[in-house]
Amino acid sequence: ASESVTVVLDNARYNRSRALKAWLDQPGCRLRLVDLPSYAPNLNLIERFRRFMKRTVLFNKAYAKFALFKQDFDDFFERLHQHEADLASLITDRFHLIGKTDARIPSA
C-alpha cells in the first residue's frame, strides 16, 4: 500500500468544490486532507510570511509618498536572503494540531 500525502487546506472556497471532492473520491487517491481551523493565521505559512514582512517593512514607519512605501517592499524582497535564519524558524512544515494526537503533519 502506498503512503498517503498530507495536504493542509485553508478555508478557500475552491477547497470545498464538488470537482475537488469528486477527484478525491477516486479509487487509489492517496491524499489525506487536513483542514485548518476557520481562523488560523499562525498555521497558515503565507500568513506567517506576510506578518513577518509587514513587521519588517511597515512597523513604526510612515511613508510620505507611495514610491517610498513601494521601494521599501522592493528592497525587502531583494534582500530576502538576509532574513533566511528568521524565516527558517518561522516558516516550517513541522507543526501539529493541538488536541489531536494523531494529526501530526510529517515534514516533507
Side-chain angles (χ1 to χ4, degrees), residues 3-76:
E3 288 187 41
S4 64
V5 176
T6 302
V7 178
V8 180
L9 301 175
D10 60 12
N11 289 305
R13 200 169 173 179
Y14 48 78
N15 290 332
R16 309 277 179 254
S17 73
R18 284 186 213 145
L20 178 62
K21 288 179 184 180
W23 189 81
L24 292 169
D25 288 340
Q26 293 179 44
C29 183
R30 297 176 27 219
L31 294 180
R32 182 180 140 230
L33 304 182
V34 175
D35 291 308
L36 287 175
S38 58
Y39 181 73
N42 290 332
L43 296 177
N44 188 327
L45 299 182
I46 297 286
E47 290 296 328
R48 287 184 189 187
F49 178 78
R50 185 183 67 80
R51 185 174 50 238
F52 176 79
M53 178 183 63
K54 284 179 62 179
R55 191 172 53 229
T56 303
V57 177
L58 297 177
F59 189 69
N60 285 337
K61 291 184 183 177
Y63 296 94
K65 297 184 179 203
F66 179 76
L68 298 172
F69 172 85
K70 182 182 178 308
Q71 185 60 54
D72 267 3
F73 275 98
D74 290 344
D75 292 345
F76 171 81

Side-chain angles (χ1 to χ4, degrees), residues 74-86:
D74 290 344
D75 292 345
F76 171 81
F77 284 107
E78 286 177 21
R79 295 190 304 260
L80 197 56
H81 64 279
Q82 293 177 352
H83 303 290
E84 188 173 343
D86 292 327

